[in-house]
Structures are given as structure tokens and as C-alpha cells.
Amino acid sequence: MKNPPSLDQLIAALKVLPGVGPKSAQRMAFHLLQKDRGGADKLARALDHALLNLRHCQRCHTFSESPLCNVCADAERRQDLLCVVEMPADLLMLEQTRCYDGLYFVLMGRLSPMDGIGPKDIDLEKLIARAVDGVVQEVIIATNFTAEGEVTAHLISEMLQAHGLRVSRIARGMPVGGELENVDPGTLAQAMYERRSVS
Amino acid sequence: MKNPPSLDQLIAALKVLPGVGPKSAQRMAFHLLQKDRGGADKLARALDHALLNLRHCQRCHTFSESPLCNVCADAERRQDLLCVVEMPADLLMLEQTRCYDGLYFVLMGRLSPMDGIGPKDIDLEKLIARAVDGVVQEVIIATNFTAEGEVTAHLISEMLQAHGLRVSRIARGMPVGGELENVDPGTLAQAMYERRSVS
Ligand SMILES: [Zn+2]
Ligand SMILES: [Zn+2]
């Protein structure tokens, strides 16, 4: 006696989700099949829809349904400021503070030597190409203040300065080890206003 | 600036999974879109396939791709013994012990007054109808030894005994508060052999 193949396949497929092991995959599968078939169908449709419609913005690399995201397509934004963040959620957090009207570049990750994530795994060359367009005057680095975010900020600073760009880092207004996503907008706005030039 | 709709829809859809809140849904969505599009597609297909192909076995109520599951369809199994378990995983655990050759009934849940899960939410009438077929001589209750499993066992015992059936409970060979799923097969086999008649 074994599970029916389609049940085993579903349990295995749920394990692709980060943080989901065999036990919770099984619990999830039972829950969906037994208690929430509508939700399971909605999830399948949402996955298909997202895979089909979401791409990366050509300029800033965040998720977008169109070639350019809303921020990059907005001619009113200051074109001479470029803010580098790790993830799309960080971009949204900064937008919520309403203290920044420049453009963004989303790394879609961070350097993490411990996890084997090196410079080639986050698209730094695309960032350089974007930053040296002649219009950008200042690059503001807003990676997290975690060890990994700081390592990332350090490397990016050096690379951009080597290209003659002015680089700044948002002020350490937030707790050491804190992540942008978990900080209140006021603190984050303060950190943006107090950004310091990288010497 | 907001997330693209298809990203928000995916994040919302992932929250149908038990134990997944807004933050982990977002982390899961980013992971799938950024790191594992193949896995996301596999998950969507597995959900569709499971929704389409998995039903409940007509006799024991476990998940099955055919009208009768392998156990119920097996004429070699003892037809006079019926073992009641909470979930399909419990049935699989008992099968692994190879100590039981009767049939099963899977409640697909347990009574949980605290969570508002009463007798009507687990299909007890279907169990009664199954148990009074005139062939079943003994019903072995193998719900978990948690508070909820014990409440369930108690109610089922009374209902079945009221129908003149012989009811037994697998022996408390496992730790109090333990769940079948987490116990080693040897202990579980012992509990099966030492089942006692409910007086
Ligand atoms: Zn963009
Ligand atoms: Zn069956």
C-alpha cells in the first residue's frame, strides 16, 4: 500500500517551496485536497498566470507585467538618482516612504559567500551598464544592513566608484542586522535623508 | 507603485497553504519566480492533476485514484476487521508495520471541540453505515493518543457499541500525546497486537 501517485506527486511538488519539508508538504496536500480544493485550483491558476505574465523590468530588473515597470516608465521621476535594493519588496517599502523620487535597480538577491552566492549570481554587470548611462549622477545603495547586505554594498560601491560614479549609502538609521522589509517607514525615510557619501 | 497584479495574486494564493502567512507567501513567490520556475510549473501541474484524479475510496474514504483503494479492493484482506484511523498517513504507517491484514476506515480528521470540529464535520454516519454491514465483527480504533484523538475514540466507541459492535482500541504502547505518524513501526505494531476490548 502506497499513496496514489498523484498524491505523492503533489507532496513532492510542494517541497519546492522554501522552508517546506516532507511533513509540512504532506499536511499542505491533505489540507488542499480535503478542505480547500477551491484554494488549490486558485493556486494552480495563479502560478500559471504569474509564470506567463511576470517578467523582469528591462531597466530596473524588478518584477513587472510590462517591459518597463511603473517607476521606470514614469518620466516625472528624477533620472539622475539610482537606488540599489536587494528585492522588489524593498523597492515597495521605499516607495511607501514617499521620500524618494529617483529610479531603482533591484539586485534580485545579495552576495552570500556562505551560501555560495557570488558576484556572478546577482547581475552586477547589468547594474554597472545601467549606472554608467551618463544620466545617473548618484547611486544610492539601500541593501539591507545584514552582514550579506553590507558585503554586497561594499562590493557595489567599489565597482561603481571605479567607474567614476558618486556612490552613497542610506544612513544606518535602522537597527544593525535589520532588514528593510521589517522596519517602519519613518525610520527608513530618515535613513534615506541621511544617506552619506561613500569616501 | 504596487506589485504587479499577477504577483499579488500569486502571493495571495500561496496563503491558502496552512501555516503560510503574508511574509512567507511573499518569500515563496519570489523564490518560485526567481529561482525555480520549473518547480512552480511542476507544482501547478501537480495541483491540477491531483484535483482531477484524486477522490475518496468509496469504502474506506482514504485518497484513491480509483473507486476502491488497493486495500479495499484486495479480497485477501480480512473482511471482519475494520480499523479506524484519522488520516491517510496513519493508514500508511499501519501498513508499514505489516501486522494488520483487515480493512480500514479513514475519518479524514478528528473531533476538535476547540476548533469547532464536531461529529458532523468528520463523516461518522458513513463509518456507522460501513461498520454495520454484517460482515465486520470488530472495529479497532487507532486514532491518535492526543486529546482530540481520544475524544474521537470515545465518541466512536459509544456509537458503535450502541449498534452492538465489538470495539477495541490499539494499546497505549506509545507515548501519551504521541501521533501515529511520528512513532516507530515497532512500537506501533506492539500497540496493535495489544489492543484491548472497550468495556
Ligand atoms: Zn523598472
Ligand atoms: Zn479503501
Side-chain angles (χ1 to χ4, degrees):
Chain A
M1 180 69 180
K2 287 178 178 173
N3 276 329
S6 46
L7 179 56
D8 274 338
Q9 281 155 23
L10 176 57
I11 292 170
L14 284 163
K15 283 190 283 188
V16 307
L17 299 170
V20 175
K23 288 264 166 181
S24 41
Q26 189 183 68
R27 202 177 64 242
M28 286 174 170
F30 288 162
H31 174 84
L32 291 175
L33 292 166
Q34 183 69 9
K35 303 271 177 63
D36 198 359
R37 296 174 66 89
D41 186 59
K42 214 174 74 175
L43 177 54
R45 297 288 71 70
L47 286 162
D48 283 338
H49 190 75
L51 288 172
L52 198 65
N53 290 288
L54 282 180
R55 66 199 78 188
H56 291 294
C57 169
Q58 288 170 0
R59 288 193 90 191
C60 76
H61 217 209
T62 195
F63 289 120
S64 172
E65 292 182 1
S66 43
L68 284 186
C69 74
N70 291 343
V71 172
C72 289
D74 183 355
E76 305 270 294
R77 312 271 312 201
R78 285 184 61 176
Q79 307 287 312
D80 59 333
L81 286 181
L82 187 68
C83 178
V84 179
V85 294
E86 295 179 16
M87 296 298 289
D90 303 329
L91 185 161
L92 292 184
M93 278 300 295
L94 277 166
E95 286 298 287
Q96 269 185 47
T97 69
R98 298 175 182 279
C99 73
Y100 178 69
D101 65 347
L103 300 175
Y104 292 95
F105 188 90
V106 182
L107 294 170
M108 287 291 179
R110 63 206 67 82
L111 293 179
S112 181
M114 298 280 285
D115 303 318
I117 302 173
K120 279 175 188 164
D121 299 300
I122 59 176
D123 207 347
L124 293 186
E125 290 184 14
K126 209 167 164 179
L127 165 59
I128 305 293
R130 170 72 188 86
V132 299
D133 68 348
V135 180
V136 171
Q137 297 298 313
E138 178 183 355
V139 179
I140 304 166
I141 302 180
T143 55
N144 287 324
F145 281 90
T146 56
E148 291 154 358
E150 293 279 32
V151 168
T152 308
H154 186 74
L155 179 68
I156 290 176
S157 298
E158 294 202 328
M159 291 174 72
L160 293 172
Q161 285 174 323
H163 283 83
L165 281 155
R166 191 171 142 217
V167 180
S168 59
R169 179 89 166 101
I170 57 170
R172 193 188 292 268
M174 35 192 130
V176 173
E179 299 186 322
L180 263 73
E181 225 184 305
N182 299 317
V183 107
D184 65 282
T187 309
L188 188 54
Q190 191 69 19
M192 172 61 77
Y193 291 132
E194 292 185 6
R195 64 184 184 269
R196 58 183 169 72
S197 180
V198 173
S199 60
Chain B
M1 180 68 181
K2 288 176 177 174
N3 276 330
S6 46
L7 178 55
D8 273 338
Q9 282 155 22
L10 176 57
I11 292 170
L14 284 163
K15 284 190 281 188
V16 307
L17 299 170
V20 175
K23 287 265 165 179
S24 41
Q26 189 183 68
R27 200 177 64 242
M28 286 173 171
F30 288 162
H31 174 84
L32 291 174
L33 292 165
Q34 184 68 10
K35 303 271 178 62
D36 198 359
R37 295 174 67 89
D41 186 59
K42 214 175 71 174
L43 177 54
R45 298 287 71 71
L47 286 163
D48 283 338
H49 190 76
L51 287 173
L52 198 65
N53 291 288
L54 281 180
R55 68 199 77 187
H56 292 293
C57 169
Q58 288 170 359
R59 288 192 90 191
C60 76
H61 217 209
T62 196
F63 289 120
S64 172
E65 292 182 2
S66 43
L68 284 187
C69 74
N70 291 343
V71 172
C72 289
D74 182 354
E76 307 269 297
R77 312 271 312 201
R78 285 183 61 176
Q79 307 287 312
D80 59 333
L81 286 181
L82 187 67
C83 178
V84 179
V85 295
E86 296 180 13
M87 296 298 288
D90 303 329
L91 185 162
L92 292 184
M93 278 300 295
L94 277 166
E95 286 299 287
Q96 270 187 45
T97 69
R98 297 175 183 278
C99 72
Y100 179 69
D101 64 348
L103 300 176
Y104 292 96
F105 188 89
V106 182
L107 294 170
M108 287 292 178
R110 65 207 64 84
L111 293 179
S112 181
M114 299 279 286
D115 304 318
I117 301 173
K120 279 175 189 165
D121 300 300
I122 59 176
D123 208 348
L124 292 187
E125 290 183 14
K126 209 168 164 180
L127 166 60
I128 305 293
R130 170 73 187 86
V132 299
D133 68 349
V135 181
V136 170
Q137 297 299 312
E138 177 184 356
V139 179
I140 304 166
I141 302 181
T143 54
N144 287 324
F145 283 89
T146 55
E148 291 154 358
E150 294 279 32
V151 169
T152 308
H154 186 74
L155 178 68
I156 291 175
S157 298
E158 294 202 328
M159 291 175 71
L160 294 172
Q161 285 173 323
H163 282 83
L165 282 156
R166 191 172 142 218
V167 180
S168 60
R169 180 89 166 100
I170 56 170
R172 194 187 290 268
M174 37 191 131
V176 172
E179 300 186 323
L180 264 73
E181 224 185 306
N182 298 316
V183 107
D184 65 281
T187 309
L188 187 54
Q190 191 68 20
M192 172 62 77
Y193 291 131
E194 292 185 5
R195 66 184 182 269
R196 56 184 169 72
S197 181
V198 174
S199 59

